[in-house]
Each structure stands twice: as C-alpha cells, then as structure tokens.
Amino acid sequence: VTTKVTRRPIVGIIGASQAAEPVLDIAEEVGAAIARQGWHLITGGGGGVMRAASLGFSSAKGAAGGVVIGLLPSDGQDFANEFVEIAIPTGMGIARNAIVARASQALVAVGGCAGTLSEIAFGWQLNRPIVAMSASGGWAAKLAGTVIDERSSLPIFEADTVSRAMTFLKDALS
Amino acid sequence: VTTKVTRRPIVGIIGASQAAEPVLDIAEEVGAAIARQGWHLITGGGGGVMRAASLGFSSAKGAAGGVVIGLLPSDGQDFANEFVEIAIPTGMGIARNAIVARASQALVAVGGCAGTLSEIAFGWQLNRPIVAMSASGGWAAKLAGTVIDERSSLPIFEADTVSRAMTFLKDALS
Amino acid sequence: VTTKVTRRPIVGIIGASQAAEPVLDIAEEVGAAIARQGWHLITGGGGGVMRAASLGFSSAKGAAGGVVIGLLPSDGQDFANEFVEIAIPTGMGIARNAIVARASQALVAVGGCAGTLSEIAFGWQLNRPIVAMSASGGWAAKLAGTVIDERSSLPIFEADTVSRAMTFLKDALS
Amino acid sequence: VTTKVTRRPIVGIIGASQAAEPVLDIAEEVGAAIARQGWHLITGGGGGVMRAASLGFSSAKGAAGGVVIGLLPSDGQDFANEFVEIAIPTGMGIARNAIVARASQALVAVGGCAGTLSEIAFGWQLNRPIVAMSASGGWAAKLAGTVIDERSSLPIFEADTVSRAMTFLKDALS
C-alpha cells in the first residue's frame, strides 16, 4: 500500500549574487537553520547569498532532511552553485524571480539588490510570509518592518537574529 | 521593393490597478503625451493606472501614431481594458511583469503598489531608463531620485511634471 | 468623449527559422493576405518563415492596417527581423512559443520544425483555430487534416491554397 | 569541511492527465525504475500519467533515493498529485511545459496528448535524449523511432519495454 508522501515546507532565501562577508555569514546561518528543521531550501541557484545559504544548508542537513533547490535563470545547469542538489534551469532569465517567490511558502531576505527587491514585491503580492534580516543591509534592511502596499497590514517581519527569524517561520509554516 | 519598417519606441507606463483620481489624471496625461510623440504604449493591460494611461493615449493619438499594447497576466483577452488595441494574454500571471519591463525601452512609474515595485526592480536590472512621477505617490514617489542598487549611479529620474518626464524620455530614447 | 478602440484580430503565422524558397513564398503570401484583411500578424519575430510572413505583410499593408508583432525569445530587440514593427523581447527562450500560441486568435502553420510543432500543440490545447498549409511541407503538411488529440473532433484545417486558408480564417474570426 | 553535494540526474516522465489503465501501468513501472536508479523524477505534477509515474516512484524509492518534483502549471500547490514531494507552482499555465523539458536531462514519453507533444517538441529542440514507450499509444507511439526535424539524425528512442527504456537512459545519463 502506497501512502501520501511527505511534502516538507519550502523556504526561499533571497539575496544578491555578490555580497560582503557578514551578509554571507547571515545567509549561511539561515540556510543551516532551515536544514535543521527538515525543510527544503529554494534559491535562485547562483552565487553570493544564494550560494552561502545553500552551503549553510548542506553543512547542517541530516539524513532525513530537505534538499537545496536552485531555480536558475539560465538555459542549463552550469549556472548553479555547487551546493544546489536539484538544479532547475528555467531558461526565463530574471522572470524566474516570480517562480522563486511563488514556489516558496515563506521567504527570508538577506541583504539584496534589485533582483531581491523584485522577489520581495512578488512575495508580498502572493501573500507569502516574508522575513527580512535587518542586520544584513540592502533591501532586506530597508523594508524590514514595513508594508509594501495596503493589500496587507502585516508588515514584513523584521528579524535581527536568525533565532527570531526561525521563530517567525515556524509559526508561519505550522 | 520592400524596405525596413519603422520600429517606434515602446514606452511602458506602470502603476496600480486601483488608484485615486489625481493619480489616474497623471497617468492619463503621460499616456497622452506618449501618443503625441508617435511612440507605442505598453502596460499590463488592466485597470487603474494602466487603463487611465491607455485612455489618455487613445484620446491623443493621431492618424500615424503608435498603438496601445496590453501585456496581460491572464489566459484570455477579457482582462484587457477597453483602450488596449493589441491585447497579448501571456497566461503567466504576475511573471508577466518581467516582460513588461523588458519590452519597454523606457518606463514611467505612476503611483504603484507591489506589482509596480517588481517592474521598477526589473527595469533597473535591465538598465531601462525609468521616470518616476513624484507627485503620484506610491512607489513612484518613494523611489524617485534614488538608486535601487549600485549597478548604476544614475538614479531613477524624478519628474514633478509630465513635461519634465517627456524631456527625459525624448533624450533617453533618441 | 473617448470611445472603445478597435481591437483587430491577431493571427499567428508559425514556421521554421530556415526554410526553402517555396515555403517562404507561401509564408509571404499568407502574410500579405492577413495584412489585406486589416488584421494584426504575430510571429516569433525571427528569420525564415517568420521573416517571410512579416515581409509579405509589410508589402501589402495599407494605411489603416494592422501591424507586425514579433514575440522574441531573446533578451533584446536585435533578434527581430527587419519587418517586425512591434518587437517584444520576452527573455524566455523557447517558452515564448506558448505565448505566441496564446496571443494568436488563429494560427497558420507553414512548414515547420520542432518549434512550430510545439506551437501547434499549444494552439490545439488552447482551442485556437489552426490552418496548416498542406503544400508547405514540415509539420504543417504532416498534421493538416488531423486531430492532435480527442479534446476536439474538428481537425486542423488543411489548406492547399492561401485563398482557402483565408476563407477558413475569415469564418473562424468572425 | 563542506564538499560539493551530489546532483542526481533528473528524468522527466511526460504524458496525459487522463489515460487508460494499461498506459498508467507503464507510467508506474517507469517511475519505479527511475526511483531504483536513485534519480530524481520530474513531471507536470498532475493526474493521469504524471500521477501514476509519481506513485510508481514513491513505491520503489529507497532511503537514499531521489525525489518526485512536480512543476505545476497552477498558482498554488493544490494541483499537485499526492505523490509529489517537491511541488513547484509556476503560475505559468501550459508554458510550464517548456520548463519540464528543460529541467529534465532525459525524457520518457508515455502515451500523450497535445501537452505531451509540446514537451516532446521542446525536448527535441533542447537536444534532450527522449524515450518513447511504444506500447503506450498516443504521441509516444506515434513518434517512437522518428526524428522531429533535421536538427538531429538520432531518432526518438523506441522502447517496447521498461527494461529497454532504462538501458537507453542509463547510457544517455552516464
């Protein structure tokens, strides 16, 4: 008898493809914390924050854990960083940001430039719970604790520590 | 003998599907000004700012003018407002925002909620000249005169009048 | 008083980016016939059949006619052939074939390789009236007069002349 | 020290959302065989062949095995059949077929209507190794052993048994 499989939560970590060491450290920590929950991690599959988050996830993941999914903008898998386990080349360029937001059941923004901003905007439109790491700079810091528009009165959650981010996510995904 | 056809500039007007009268008035004025240049107008094809811009364009367009293109998120043409001449249903939902930004050779933001924010972010990533109508509120007002990230040092152009916006666009598209 | 604008029918011509002279001639003739109806033409914007159809359209279009729209797979407008009046770079690669099928209210297949086959398949799924030019070879000839699946019992219309194709299209779009 | 993770091959099984029992049986068998290799399975995530393949995979997968990925056309996860472990709603409708083809490093066609035909066409364009189960009817049977166009002289591999399909896939993915 085959039974329904487990569908673990998918959390997206979004951030820039180039970032300073302290920002990467935060991404790595968040990735590791997501792995410890047994959740899946989704990113855009590239460098910088995407790679650091995936590295952190890989370091911490246990036997029964989730996997690292990379939703690539590229035509092939070469774009993916070396910690992506499931590389999905979309061939859609930056339009893949819309899929990153949609496929994530919750989003964590770490730093972030224009691409991250588009993902935060899409996440907001799709009513995804969003955490912004306030110590990571970039658009995460700028938008932490604010509302993007009047669609919702619940602001982007401002997390100054990974532990606070995880408390929010556990609540949001339960 | 057939010769190369004229490919008129395509300008995108981006803004929310619901907006207050003064914001709609600005959108209408910008749409009309674009029509007078003989350019094409592209929008997301829906209501609010998208409709007002298209209405303005329709009112002002002359015999040899451009057309109003609506890049719809929907599966069919029904979504399009009544001033869209070329309705292109993408069937891609909000991911069509990436195409709106890419297909526009310059963008004018009027007011704007989360969807507009995603288009501004994409336009910035794609290095499109962007004008923000500073009197229109929303994300246009918030981002006017700022840089989205360090990819470029040229800020989003802050226009307090339609005339200033047009001067910028004429220069950017020449 | 502003009234609703005219939304002319959009017909897609689909075919390969490289084709033999007789196939290109058919595409050119179909393009010209569509222009004479005052309809818009949509293609994938590239070479071969797409270019020949656009050339034919351009040669025949009158003052008040439709326009040639190119839905490009590319990131920029450079991909477009010189007869495309409205170039829409989707940045989505071959996934743009789905939009070509969706944006066309009827499709005419001329010759065709794998890309055309995907567009015929999508057009069928979306219940678009499809004409296949039976003298043009390729997938158009193979599928003319057949059904793709049991979703519909109305086969792809087999047209051995441009005139027959136009009779079908006029009926389908009325 | 963190090392590069394992990136298992991703095989796509494509087929209709409704199919007769014998067709579903083939899909289930192929899904199970893919699981036994430790590969990932990708499908469009829906019913019929997609569900049967996923069910087969789930029944056979071992502790260290791959996972079932569903690339959904829908806005949310509800579309996914109950054997999808990683549900990725693309929100793109049938345009997601292009991503199914691209994300699969090899494709197995089982039966199939218009949607499957579009995926075979895309897979061919992207130079993916394609197996067609010749006993499954539909487009798989029609195209088994044929070439889609002249881009390649290597025909779609015709497999009359799951065992022959697996021999081909193991070779193609090694």
Side-chain angles (χ1 to χ4, degrees), chain B residues 150-170:
Chain B
E150 284 160 26
R151 195 172 321 228
S152 167
S153 58
L154 197 71
I156 291 174
F157 184 75
E158 175 169 359
D160 53 358
T161 64
V162 173
S163 155
R164 290 229 168 86
M166 293 309 293
T167 303
F168 173 84
L169 289 173
K170 278 184 260 186

Side-chain angles (χ1 to χ4, degrees), chain C residues 88-165:
Chain C
I88 299 184
T90 65
M92 289 173 58
I94 55 179
R96 75 82 154 78
N97 291 6
I99 307 184
V100 169
R102 195 180 283 284
S104 299
Q105 288 162 275
L107 289 161
V108 183
V110 181
C113 297
T116 308
L117 180 57
S118 73
E119 290 165 325
I120 294 173
F122 279 131
W124 184 268
Q125 272 195 284
L126 297 169
N127 206 28
R128 296 292 183 272
I130 307 176
V131 183
M133 302 307 296
S134 57
S136 64
W139 280 100
K142 275 183 215 153
L143 297 177
T146 72
V147 297
I148 299 289
D149 60 31
E150 283 159 27
R151 195 173 320 228
S152 167
S153 58
L154 196 71
I156 290 175
F157 184 75
E158 174 169 1
D160 53 359
T161 64
V162 172
S163 154
R164 289 229 169 86

Side-chain angles (χ1 to χ4, degrees), chain B residues 2-5 7 10 40 58-59 67 69 75 77 80-92 99 102-103 105, chain C residues 2-5 7 10 40 58-59 67 69 75 77 80-92 99 102-103 105:
Chain B
T2 308
T3 51
K4 197 167 179 301
V5 300
R7 203 174 292 157
I10 300 178
H40 296 304
S58 286
S59 314
V67 295
I69 306 156
D75 286 353
Q77 292 200 357
N81 68 62
E82 69 271 40
F83 303 105
V84 171
E85 293 169 79
I86 297 179
I88 299 184
T90 64
M92 290 172 58
I99 307 184
R102 195 181 282 285
Q105 289 162 273
Chain C
T2 308
T3 52
K4 198 169 178 301
V5 301
R7 204 174 290 159
I10 299 178
H40 296 303
S58 286
S59 313
V67 294
I69 305 156
D75 286 352
Q77 293 200 358
N81 69 61
E82 68 270 41
F83 303 105
V84 170
E85 292 167 80
I86 297 179
I88 299 184
T90 65
M92 289 173 58
I99 307 184
R102 195 180 283 284
Q105 288 162 275

Side-chain angles (χ1 to χ4, degrees), chain D residues 1 9 28 31 38 54 74 76 126-127 152 167:
Chain D
V1 178
E28 191 176 331
S54 304
S74 53
L126 298 170
N127 206 29
S152 166
T167 304

Side-chain angles (χ1 to χ4, degrees), chain A residues 17 35 39 59 62 66 93 103-104 128 135 167 171 174:
Chain A
S17 57
W39 298 337
S59 313
S104 300
R128 297 291 184 272
T167 303
D171 187 51
S174 68

Side-chain angles (χ1 to χ4, degrees), chain A residues 8-49:
Chain A
R8 299 161 181 278
I10 299 178
V11 176
I13 298 184
I14 54 180
S17 57
Q18 292 190 317
E21 214 45 65
V23 180
L24 298 177
D25 288 348
I26 294 172
E28 191 176 331
E29 262 193 82
V30 178
I34 287 169
R36 278 186 216 107
Q37 294 300 319
W39 298 337
H40 296 303
L41 171 65
I42 220 164
T43 79
V49 161

Side-chain angles (χ1 to χ4, degrees), chain B residues 51-131:
Chain B
R51 183 180 175 280
S54 304
L55 182 162
F57 188 99
S58 286
S59 314
K61 92 180 248 196
V67 295
V68 177
I69 306 156
L71 278 171
L72 316 178
S74 54
D75 286 353
Q77 292 200 357
D78 289 353
F79 179 90
N81 68 62
E82 69 271 40
F83 303 105
V84 171
E85 293 169 79
I86 297 179
I88 299 184
T90 64
M92 290 172 58
I94 55 178
R96 74 80 155 81
N97 290 7
I99 307 184
V100 169
R102 195 181 282 285
S104 299
Q105 289 162 273
L107 290 160
V108 184
V110 181
C113 297
T116 307
L117 180 57
S118 73
E119 291 166 324
I120 293 174
F122 280 132
W124 183 267
Q125 274 194 283
L126 297 169
N127 206 29
R128 296 291 184 273
I130 307 175
V131 183

